[in-house]
Amino acid sequence: MTGDTLRLAWARPAEDWIEAIPIGNGRIGAMVFGGERARYQVNDATAWSGTPDGPAHELARLVAGGAGPERLAEVRAALDVGDLDRAEAMLMTFEGRYTQEFLPLLDLVVDIPGAIPAPGQPARVLDLDTAVVEEKLVVGEATVIRRSWVSAPAQAMFIELEADVALAALEVTWSTPLREIGRASSADALTLDIELPVDGVPLHVTSVEPALRYRATDDGSYDPFAAAAVAYSSDGTETVEEGRLRIRGASRLLIALSTSTRADLWWADTGDEWRTASREAIRDRARSNALDAVGADADDRLTEHGADVRQVTGARFAIGGRRNGCWNVEHDILHGDDPALRATVAAEYGRYLLTAASRTGNPAANLQGIWNGSLRPAWSSNYTININTQMNYWAAGPLGLDDQLEPLIALTERLARAGTDTARELYGARGWVAHHNTDLWGWSLPVGMGVGAPSWAIWMMGGVWLCHTIWDALEFSNDETLLRERVWPLMKGAVEFCLDWLQVDENGIARVSPSTSPENMYLDATGRPRALGLTATSDTELFRSLLLRALRAIDRVDPASALRGEIELALKSIPLPGIGADGVLLEWSAEVPEHEPAHRHLSPAIGIYPLDLIAPDTTPELAVAARRLLDRRGPGAMGWSWAWKIALRARLRDADTAYELLTEALTPYEGDAHRLGPVDGSEWGGLLPNLFSTHPPFQIDGNLGFPAAIAELLLQSHGGVIHLLPAIPDAWPDGHVERLRARGGVAVDLRWADGALVDASLTDLTGSAHEVHVRIGDHHFAIVLPAGGTVVVTDPPHPTITTPTMASSIPQ
């Protein structure tokens, strides 16, 4: 490791999962504990309970039970006459069981007897720029360097040991918390056969047993098989005894671990191979890949990995001017007194985690990214799509993480396939629909088992919001081919559903029925909490924005679309959000008391961020009303709620409050991190010892939302204007950031001092000259970016065309 990178150091090996360091390549994730008995808790992003046909079977069961368009008409009729109890009871018959669980795959332990951290050195160091964990150990007279990383090019986890004196002995063992069905060894590799459950019950569901159900017999149904392989190369003597790899007299060792699952073949979507592949073939994929991985020199593998990481890294932050160096996590970050450094680390760690958790060709990052050590993870470690999954990808566009976005598109495509049947069979609608949760298998139904509260179970906007997240990220890359081939087909289906779901009353005003505001309720005239009966502001804002964006997509890639007329007519009927008598933005279509005025969700403010329907310059009254809503919601809660609040305050240019919220969010969590905190956010979360953001429990959305929110304080580009330093906090008087993105395919490097812009370089990424509108403070001006060229602007504005871009002060 060199001194020109950003490194995080921990003084001790990890004793607990929440102290371990995450590494990953989008497919294989591992938590690095370090120390004498170095544990690696390993996940595979395709290792889920369940089966590919599970969602279809559940849809058929619901339809057979009477759920469908006719019953939906009865629900709407009950809502129209105010019979909310009857409507709720009928709607709950639309609820399926539950999504499946993301599960831990195995534990690998590398035991070096007598090893201790080198005196005066950190026990573990994570380099956020190279994605390598390094340890310096002492074993008797020997000094040992151990490096751990997960390579995307090699599709393997590597553990490299270098010792200046040959080690007497070390041992490698492994096990799985799932059903082990076989293991084997040879002179150069070990293999482990694993069976995954065909059903996994969420932790909060206590009425179904067993919690993990495996196939009873080999009946020809889906075979949930997985395999792992460990290959090794050393200059010592290697033996395998009782499944344990023992190595004696080695001063050099390279271990490669690879995994393979039947679910991965299904995810790859390449025909029937997932059905026909034998267990032997799946095992051989893992084994041959591990052997190939150790077939090259460790230095070559590390160089290959480093080049890949640099290629996908994206933006770099140096808020306060300090970035590179080795920072002690406990003293400098968790309990440090430099707010700018803490913000830098929050942004860079979130960027690192998304890069490690989400890569092209793999499933999307779930509630815990690709890191889960529990057989009963909170909320099944699934995809919660009423904010959390979307937040995972908010940073993809502004940080230029194009490779990281692809898994979200792939997840949404699979969801749309299942959701097309759900929209037709349950609601008689065109297009496709998704609700509150999904999983690897594309679950698109409501969950709740017929007893789930409508406030969270009955919400039909999951697919619409996913389309917005993808569109938002696409605007930064301006990738016309991606829009035409993958994004517009998804949007088109979501638009068709929206057009059929909107109800227009006798006055020509659109409403949504049934409608809920995610996880919140209002109080009816009797003081009873209600979820149904009114149109949620978030629904109409999601619809309006989708239809407006669809018109832009049609102009670009589908000008003959027959949907244009329908969209334009529907837009005329959708009302603007309401403002209450107290000047607060309304959550519903009528002014009613909120059940939880300080609710953790900010759904009625969705038009500000991540959408761009409300802004101080274009809709000042709504912006003021939204700010009052945020004031009422208050501070605190948990990581994802903090991240959303910070981004909202950034859009409203409320830098001081945004900074206060970020300070809260980056506070160490002092409670019991292994218990489940109240879901209402009444107990605040914070950061765990490994900097994971916790609820509790840990959810990665907070970590991944922080860089998006921080970027929003430094650069905004919605509304057709590149706004430089729109909401810079006073606590960040100086700094620089490189390779941020603005919408329209523009890379932006920024430098500022004493709270004011020094200069910014704007570089065209589209390959075509185009005009951009720029704002610095109250200065507005237009410049033409040359094709592939750069314009440097200063404050006061003085554009200078240069080529190539100005030299980087942050490592590439």
Side-chain angles (χ1 to χ4, degrees):
M1 292 186 177
T2 62
D4 61 352
T5 57
L6 173 55
R7 287 152 290 142
L8 303 179
W10 286 263
R12 298 172 297 280
E15 296 181 358
D16 196 341
W17 193 89
I18 62 173
E19 299 171 348
I21 299 173
I23 56 175
N25 67 353
R27 168 67 187 283
I28 298 172
M31 298 294 285
V32 181
F33 285 66
E36 178 181 13
R37 282 185 51 80
R39 176 190 174 198
Y40 296 81
Q41 186 270 306
V42 179
N43 291 96
D44 181 301
T46 63
W48 289 66
S49 62
T51 64
D53 58 2
H57 286 318
E58 190 64 4
L59 173 60
R61 186 186 71 81
L62 291 176
V63 171
E70 291 184 4
R71 185 167 292 173
L72 174 63
E74 295 180 54
V75 169
R76 285 173 168 162
L79 290 171
D80 287 345
V81 298
D83 191 349
L84 303 188
D85 289 335
R86 183 166 182 266
E88 181 173 311
M90 286 190 290
L91 270 176
M92 291 168 79
T93 67
F94 287 70
E95 294 179 359
R97 286 164 60 84
Y98 40 76
T99 59
Q100 292 300 316
E101 295 193 304
F102 175 60
L103 296 169
L105 188 66
L106 61 90
D107 277 355
L108 180 76
V109 176
V110 179
D111 188 358
I112 307 176
I116 60 172
Q121 300 287 326
R124 296 169 296 148
V125 177
L126 168 64
D127 192 319
L128 295 181
D129 294 334
T130 64
V132 175
V133 174
E134 183 170 294
E135 303 167 72
K136 190 171 185 179
L137 305 166
V138 174
V139 186
E141 298 298 317
T143 298
V144 180
I145 303 297
R146 177 166 55 205
R147 300 181 184 92
S148 307
W149 71 95
V150 188
S151 166
Q155 282 298 296
M157 181 181 79
F158 289 97
I159 305 167
E160 179 199 12
L161 280 81
E162 293 180 329
D164 59 1
V165 176
L167 301 176
L170 61 86
E171 183 175 87
V172 180
T173 58
W174 60 351
S175 62
T176 177
L178 302 171
R179 177 179 283 179
E180 180 181 327
I181 54 177
R183 59 174 63 202
S185 61
S186 64
D188 49 10
L190 310 175
T191 59
L192 183 66
D193 292 351
I194 300 167
E195 185 177 339
L196 289 152
V198 294
D199 189 50
V201 183
L203 181 62
H204 58 274
V205 173
T206 58
S207 59
V208 179
E209 293 184 352
L212 295 175
R213 179 170 60 84
Y214 292 87
R215 287 199 313 172
T217 59
D218 183 3
D219 57 3
S221 61
Y222 176 76
D223 175 19
F225 180 73
V230 166
Y232 39 88
S233 172
S234 80
D235 60 355
T237 302
E238 303 152 353
T239 59
V240 179
E241 303 170 12
E242 299 178 351
R244 298 170 179 265
L245 170 63
R246 292 189 170 95
I247 303 174
R248 296 176 176 84
S251 62
R252 177 190 56 79
L253 170 66
L254 181 64
I255 296 171
L257 179 145
S258 186
T259 62
S260 179
T261 71
R262 189 176 302 279
D264 179 46
L265 299 175
W266 177 84
W267 181 264
D269 203 17
T270 55
D272 282 342
E273 186 182 6
W274 66 272
R275 300 178 191 270
T276 61
S278 66
R279 289 184 170 185
E280 290 75 14
I282 294 171
R283 182 191 309 114
D284 286 346
R285 288 179 70 219
R287 185 175 185 276
S288 62
N289 196 67
L291 288 170
D292 288 345
V294 297
D297 182 82
D299 288 342
D300 293 337
R301 286 303 189 194
L302 196 55
T303 298
E304 173 188 60
H305 169 68
D308 173 70
V309 169
R310 286 192 298 275
Q311 184 178 358
V312 300
T313 289
R316 299 291 182 91
F317 297 81
I319 300 167
R322 293 204 297 169
R323 179 190 187 275
N324 299 338
C326 189
W327 307 107
N328 182 291
V329 167
E330 183 174 356
H331 297 293
D332 297 325
I333 310 304
L334 290 173
H335 300 283
D337 58 3
D338 184 343
L341 176 62
R342 298 178 75 201
T344 294
V345 169
E348 291 281 358
Y349 194 52
R351 183 268 306 163
Y352 163 81
L353 290 172
L354 183 56
T355 302
S358 186
R359 296 291 301 271
T360 294
N362 299 301
N366 61 57
L367 275 178
Q368 295 185 192
I370 53 170
W371 300 283
N372 167 41
S374 173
L375 289 174
R376 303 294 307 285
W379 324 124
S380 298
S381 192
N382 68 5
Y383 300 106
T384 303
I385 56 175
N386 68 0
I387 174 62
N388 311 89
T389 302
Q390 289 87 344
M391 182 178 288
N392 282 358
Y393 288 89
W394 282 355
L399 270 62
L401 302 175
D402 300 335
D403 185 66
Q404 282 65 43
L405 177 67
E406 193 279 340
L408 182 67
I409 299 174
L411 173 69
T412 307
E413 288 170 335
R414 285 155 180 77
L415 184 54
R417 292 177 201 168
T420 298
D421 293 336
T422 300
R424 182 183 63 252
E425 299 295 323
L426 286 191
Y427 305 129
R430 295 174 294 169
W432 64 279
V433 65
H435 296 80
H436 166 240
N437 285 167
T438 189
D439 57 21
L440 181 78
W441 313 112
W443 176 279
S444 64
L445 302 166
V447 296
M449 300 179 66
V451 295
S455 61
W456 53 265
I458 304 300
W459 185 73
M460 293 76 174
M461 300 297 105
V464 176
W465 198 347
L466 285 171
C467 285
H468 279 302
T469 303
I470 295 168
W471 172 273
D472 282 333
L474 185 68
E475 282 201 301
F476 290 87
S477 67
N478 219 30
D479 188 329
E480 205 81 357
T481 301
L482 187 60
L483 173 62
R484 178 182 298 105
E485 295 180 356
R486 299 185 69 180
V487 178
W488 170 236
L490 292 172
M491 292 178 66
K492 181 180 178 182
V495 166
E496 289 173 334
F497 177 78
C498 288
L499 292 171
D500 286 356
W501 196 248
L502 278 174
Q503 308 287 298
V504 180
D505 66 19
E506 63 276 7
N507 297 314
I509 305 300
R511 61 191 177 94
V512 182
S513 179
S515 176
T516 58
S517 188
E519 304 187 34
N520 201 4
M521 293 184 283
Y522 66 90
L523 301 178
D524 66 15
T526 69
R528 181 178 172 185
R530 294 288 194 178
L532 299 168
L534 298 172
T535 296
T537 296
S538 57
D539 281 3
T540 52
E541 292 290 83
L542 284 165
F543 278 12
R544 182 203 320 283
S545 186
L546 183 68
L547 298 183
L548 289 170
R549 289 171 166 182
L551 289 177
R552 293 167 58 189
I554 286 171
D555 287 341
R556 290 166 62 180
V557 300
D558 193 12
S561 174
L563 287 176
R564 185 190 298 273
E566 284 189 77
I567 292 170
E568 291 172 342
L569 183 62
L571 280 169
K572 295 176 182 178
S573 69
I574 300 176
L576 292 172
I579 299 175
D582 55 1
V584 174
L585 189 72
L586 296 182
E587 186 155 3
W588 290 275
S589 53
E591 188 167 4
V592 290
E594 294 174 275
H595 178 229
E596 295 181 58
H599 199 269
R600 61 199 176 277
H601 279 259
L602 293 309
S603 304
I606 195 172
I608 306 169
Y609 186 95
L611 307 181
D612 56 3
L613 299 173
I614 299 174
D617 296 326
T618 57
T619 57
E621 290 185 4
L622 287 172
V624 171
R627 182 164 180 163
R628 289 172 177 159
L629 171 74
L630 297 181
D631 290 343
R632 177 186 290 178
R633 291 289 159 100
M638 61 281 294
W640 63 262
S641 186
W642 267 310
W644 197 358
K645 289 174 181 178
I646 296 162
L648 287 165
R649 293 289 183 173
R651 283 280 175 95
L652 294 173
R653 300 176 204 147
D654 183 359
D656 291 341
T657 305
Y659 170 73
E660 291 169 3
L661 290 164
L662 182 62
T663 301
E664 294 171 1
L666 302 185
T667 299
Y669 182 71
E670 303 292 351
D672 180 0
H674 297 289
R675 59 181 282 271
L676 300 186
V679 296
D680 62 6
S682 56
E683 294 183 16
W684 288 12
L687 296 184
L688 295 170
N690 64 359
L691 299 183
F692 275 165
S693 178
T694 191
H695 214 193
F698 154 60
Q699 289 182 195
I700 204 167
D701 37 38
N703 290 107
L704 301 187
F706 294 150
I710 290 168
E712 205 70 22
L713 292 164
L714 303 175
L715 173 70
Q716 296 177 18
S717 59
H718 57 286
V721 177
I722 298 176
H723 193 171
L724 306 175
L725 300 181
I728 190 77
D730 291 339
W732 304 348
D734 311 295
H736 53 280
V737 61
E738 296 184 357
R739 301 201 294 271
L740 278 179
R741 288 261 188 96
R743 289 169 176 83
V746 180
V748 180
D749 296 352
L750 288 169
R751 290 193 299 158
W752 69 97
D754 297 324
L757 181 72
V758 174
D759 53 39
S761 68
L762 281 62
T763 303
D764 168 65
L765 300 175
T766 68
S768 300
H770 62 287
E771 184 177 78
V772 296
H773 295 266
V774 180
R775 177 176 179 179
I776 305 171
D778 293 329
H779 298 291
H780 298 253
F781 55 96
I783 57 176
V784 175
L785 286 182
T790 296
V791 174
V792 178
V793 299
T794 58
D795 188 12
H798 184 71
T800 302
I801 298 175
T802 66
T803 185
T805 59
M806 62 178 162
S808 172
S809 58
I810 296 178
Q812 299 300 304

